[in-house]
Amino acid sequence: MEPRRPRALPVRLAVVGTVLIFVVCASWLVYRAVTIPVPEAVLIVRASPAWDGTIASVDGINLGKPREARFDRASKYSLSFHLLPGTYTLVVRRGDIELERYDFVLTRREPLRVRHLPDTPGAGTATTRPSWPFGIDFRWQNH
């Protein structure tokens, strides 16, 4: 008795199926490579250790949701945001308190912005008069 030969049809179907799977995967990768925008610009925010734990957030029309990062020792108090050219706003906050706000534009001609924060949070905020506790009102202030 002669040994059985494998049938040609299942072998051909397996080869055709493998080629189809490869073509579909390669087409999907090429499509994704063409349609995903590549960030061409960068914002670098640098701070001192006094800013430890604060959160930097970048928002703009090109972003679906704001991008956030935290200043800490691991990041060496330097954060970078890779973005598309456009108009953005950087907000640095600790909890619910906004400490810094910076509006900026990134273009293809100027794709890099570096923002140095003050040595201590709130150092750039000038006070015009001291705040008095408990709403004390002095008569001589009204005259």
Side-chain angles (χ1 to χ4, degrees):
M1 194 161 173
E2 201 176 302
R4 263 184 109 183
R5 285 194 201 168
R7 296 191 181 186
L9 183 62
V11 172
R12 287 183 184 152
L13 285 176
V15 170
V16 168
T18 303
V19 169
L20 279 174
I21 290 172
F22 174 77
V23 168
V24 167
C25 290
S27 319
W28 180 252
L29 287 174
V30 169
Y31 169 75
R32 294 295 291 168
V34 171
T35 59
I36 293 177
V38 177
E40 299 173 355
V42 66
L43 168 70
I44 299 172
V45 185
R46 294 192 175 146
S48 68
W51 293 84
D52 193 8
T54 58
I55 295 174
S57 173
V58 175
D59 195 11
I61 196 155
N62 294 340
L63 301 175
K65 62 180 183 173
R67 295 194 182 160
E68 293 186 346
R70 180 182 303 270
F71 287 105
D72 56 11
R73 191 174 181 182
S75 68
K76 297 182 182 177
Y77 307 104
S78 182
L79 304 175
S80 60
F81 296 94
H82 299 272
L83 306 163
L84 295 170
T87 303
Y88 297 95
T89 301
L90 168 71
V91 176
V92 181
R93 58 183 158 70
R94 178 171 281 148
D96 292 336
I97 301 170
E98 183 178 306
L99 301 172
E100 287 282 324
R101 179 176 285 273
Y102 173 60
D103 296 320
F104 62 98
V105 177
L106 294 172
T107 63
R108 285 194 171 89
R109 293 187 117 194
E110 294 181 27
L112 174 67
R113 290 274 179 192
V114 178
R115 176 71 175 174
H116 294 276
L117 297 178
D119 289 336
T120 59
T125 306
T127 58
T128 56
R129 64 179 195 160
S131 60
W132 296 99
F134 311 114
I136 297 173
D137 187 28
F138 294 104
R139 286 183 285 155
W140 59 82
Q141 285 181 331
N142 296 333
H143 298 283

